[in-house]
Amino acid sequence: MTMTQHILDVQASIQSDKRAMDRLVTLCDRYGHRLSGSDSLERALDWLDKTLRQDGFESVTRQPVMVPRWERGKESLELVTPPQTPLAMLGLGGSIGTSNRGLVAPVVPVMDFSDLAAKADMVRGKVVLFNVPFTTYGATVQYRAKGAVAAAKAGAVAAIVRSVGPKSLQTPHTGAMFYEDDVVKIPTCAVSIEGAELLQRLYDSGDKPMVRLKMQAHMRPDRRSSNIWADIRGSKYPDEVVVLGGHIDSWDVGQGANDDAGGCCAAWEALMHLKRGGWRPRRTIRVAFWVNEENGTRGGIEYAARVKAVREVHRLLVESDSGVGNPLAVGITTKNVNNFRAIEAELKPLLQDRLGVEVTNGGGGADVGPTGALGYPTAGLNTDTTEYWNVHHTHADTVDKINPADFRRCTSSLATIAIWASESDIAI
Ligand SMILES: [Zn+2]
C-alpha cells in the first residue's frame, strides 16, 4: 500500500470512529486532574501503562522523573470592606501560603507593570491587583508569572492577578508563578474577571476595598513520577523515531481535559488507528506522555537528557498541547529552513486538501522543546483556541467541553503527520 493510500484509509477510519473519545472520557472521569506530585497523577500513569501494554505496543517505557510537589490546601479571598461574600479565586501554582489567620490589607489595582512603577509609593503594605485584560496568552501571562515579584519589590504584602482568560463566568484561572531568590516571597492568587472588575470599581469610586486572603499553599519534597511512551517499531529505520505526544500532568482543578488529556489521547488514538491491520511503519512511531509540563517541564527535560545520552535519532517530534478544538495548522520547525518548501509540497495535499489543516513554518511545544534544542525538528498542532482560553487552568476544563468532531480532526491530523514523517524520505 502506498503512503498516500494508507493515510487516506486512516483518515477515513478516524472520521467514522464513534469510540474515539472513550479513552479521553475514561482518563478525565475516572482519574480526574493530575497535578505533579499528586496521587491522582500516579493512578492515571499506572492506568496508561497497563492500557498501552494491552494495546499491543511492542515496547512501553516508563522513565523515572522527579517532579515538584506543590499543594494548594484550603484557600479563600474575601472582600471585608465593604462586606461581601467571598470572591472566586485560585492560588497560583508555586505560591507560598499565608498565616492561618490570613492577611488583611487594602487593594490597589494597577493596569500593568509601568502603572505599578508609577504607584510604587502607594502599594507598600497593601495588596496589588494586576487588573490586566486578556489580549494574547503570551502578553497577559507575564502578570501571573512575574506579578508577585514585581509587587514584592514595591513592598506589597500579596499580589492578585486578574485571571488570564478572555471571558469568565466566575471562573478563576490558576497557573505557574515564579519567585526570585533575592526578592521576598509574597502569596499570590488569581481572581475571576468579575472579581477584578468589582475591586476596580470600588477602588475607582473611592471606597478603598480591603480583602482577607487565606492560603495554605506549600511545597513538599519532590516526588518520583514518570514519562511514559509506547512504540511501533520501524521496519526499515527502527532507530529513527517519529514522536507524537502531549503532557499527562495538569493543574489541580477541573479535569485537565483540554489541557492536555485531549492532546495526549488524540496522539494515542492516532497510533491506534495507523497500526490497525498490522501496518508497520518504515521508521519507529512513538506516542509519548510527558510529565510536569505545567510547573517544571521536568518530563521534557529528562526525555531530552535520555535522547542525548543514548543518541536516539529523532526524525520529528510533534506536540499536541493547544487543546483539541478545530485543528487549523501543523507548524513545523525544520532542521534547515530550506527544507520547508519541499515538506509543504508533500504535506499540503494530505493535510490541507483533505482536512483543511494548513502546513506552516515554525512550531513545537514546551515538552518537545528541550529535545528540539538538541537539533531535532519539532512540530505543533495549532487549533482554534477561542474556547480553550476560556477554560484553560480552570474548574471548567472538563471533558464535556470537547467537541468529538474536532477531537477526531485533531487525531486525523496527527496520524497524517506521523505516517508521512515515517514513510517519506524527504529531509525535515
Ligand atoms: Zn498544556
Side-chain angles (χ1 to χ4, degrees):
M1 186 166 27
T2 65
M3 170 181 80
T4 302
Q5 190 55 50
H6 186 52
I7 285 174
L8 299 186
D9 285 357
V10 169
Q11 288 179 349
S13 105
I14 291 170
Q15 290 315 313
S16 63
D17 186 351
K18 298 217 169 10
R19 304 188 341 154
M21 280 195 40
D22 284 3
R23 283 192 167 155
L24 176 55
V25 170
T26 300
L27 178 58
C28 290
D29 288 353
R30 297 183 68 120
Y31 296 91
H33 52 65
R34 304 165 302 280
L35 183 61
S36 288
S38 67
D39 292 340
S40 55
L41 169 63
E42 295 309 308
R43 282 194 292 270
L45 286 167
D46 289 344
W47 169 76
L48 258 179
D49 192 338
K50 190 182 83 189
T51 313
L52 287 164
R53 287 172 204 281
Q54 289 167 354
D55 284 345
F57 286 99
E58 284 152 308
S59 67
V60 177
T61 305
R62 202 157 168 169
Q63 177 190 26
V65 179
M66 295 301 290
V67 295
R69 195 173 187 185
W70 176 78
E71 289 181 351
R72 176 179 304 282
K74 285 189 185 151
E75 56 183 16
S76 63
L77 178 68
E78 191 188 348
L79 189 54
V80 292
T81 311
Q84 296 248 352
T85 50
L87 300 171
M89 63 82 80
L90 281 172
L92 295 181
S95 178
I96 60 166
T98 63
S99 69
N100 287 341
R101 287 170 42 237
L103 62 86
V104 177
V107 176
V108 178
V110 299
M111 290 183 310
D112 52 31
F113 288 127
S114 57
D115 191 29
L116 173 64
K119 290 176 177 160
D121 53 348
M122 295 167 56
V123 303
R124 185 159 296 279
K126 297 180 181 160
V127 175
V128 170
L129 166 66
F130 291 95
N131 188 18
V132 186
F134 184 89
T135 48
T136 63
Y137 185 67
T140 319
V141 77
Q142 58 178 318
Y143 294 95
R144 186 192 83 205
K146 301 178 196 162
V149 164
K153 281 181 178 167
V157 295
I160 302 175
V161 294
R162 174 185 174 118
S163 283
V164 181
K167 269 198 269 179
S168 177
L169 290 171
Q170 289 286 20
T171 33
H173 296 235
T174 190
M177 57 75 56
F178 303 95
Y179 290 120
E180 286 177 14
D181 284 343
D182 51 352
V183 179
V184 62
K185 294 180 179 178
I186 58 172
T188 182
C189 72
V191 68
S192 67
I193 293 175
E194 292 90 336
E197 295 278 321
L198 168 63
L199 291 167
Q200 182 78 56
R201 284 195 303 276
L202 291 168
Y203 182 84
D204 290 346
S205 70
D207 266 346
K208 295 196 174 65
M210 181 101 79
V211 292
R212 175 182 289 114
L213 176 63
K214 283 188 183 178
M215 290 171 64
Q216 293 180 336
H218 60 280
M219 297 296 302
R220 290 179 59 186
D222 288 359
R223 179 170 180 179
R224 188 185 158 108
S225 186
S226 43
N227 290 326
I228 297 186
W229 61 85
D231 290 354
I232 306 167
R233 198 167 160 79
S235 58
K236 189 163 185 199
Y237 306 113
D239 297 336
E240 292 184 24
V241 183
V242 175
V243 190
L244 305 179
H247 63 88
I248 189 63
D249 66 304
S250 74
W251 282 104
D252 58 338
V253 292
Q255 296 178 324
N258 251 303
D259 187 15
D260 182 26
C264 288
C265 290
W268 186 3
E269 276 296 320
L271 264 72
M272 294 304 287
H273 279 269
L274 64 82
K275 79 185 183 79
R276 271 183 191 174
W279 180 77
R280 182 162 292 278
R282 295 173 78 213
R283 297 178 178 84
T284 293
I285 301 182
R286 171 176 297 168
V287 56
F289 305 86
W290 290 286
V291 77
N292 187 227
E293 186 273 345
E294 295 292 2
N295 57 342
T297 330
R298 294 203 199 161
I301 292 167
E302 287 295 320
Y303 185 88
R306 178 192 162 277
V307 165
K308 193 176 176 191
V310 304
R311 294 202 178 90
E312 187 175 59
V313 175
H314 277 58
R315 169 128 165 104
L316 181 65
L317 298 104
V318 187
E319 179 138 5
S320 174
D321 183 22
S322 304
V324 283
N326 189 30
L328 301 176
V330 173
I332 306 179
T333 301
T334 55
K335 224 178 217 175
N336 181 325
V337 286
N338 298 322
N339 295 346
F340 181 74
R341 285 282 160 241
I343 293 167
E344 191 187 28
E346 275 201 6
L347 267 176
K348 207 168 161 259
L350 303 168
L351 275 175
Q352 191 160 331
D353 300 352
R354 302 291 307 182
L355 302 171
V357 174
E358 278 187 83
V359 184
T360 56
N361 201 347
D367 301 291
V368 301
T371 308
L374 301 175
Y376 295 116
T378 59
L381 180 65
N382 304 324
T383 61
D384 180 345
T385 52
T386 313
E387 291 302 321
Y388 179 71
W389 293 124
N390 291 332
V391 300
H392 180 251
H393 298 183
T394 73
H395 289 292
D397 184 6
T398 48
V399 74
D400 50 282
K401 306 298 187 307
I402 290 172
N403 176 319
D406 288 343
F407 176 77
R408 283 195 293 269
R409 277 192 288 274
C410 287
T411 303
S412 211
S413 307
L414 291 169
T416 301
I417 189 115
I419 297 168
W420 168 78
S422 81
E423 303 310 289
S424 169
D425 281 327
I426 201 167
I428 308 179

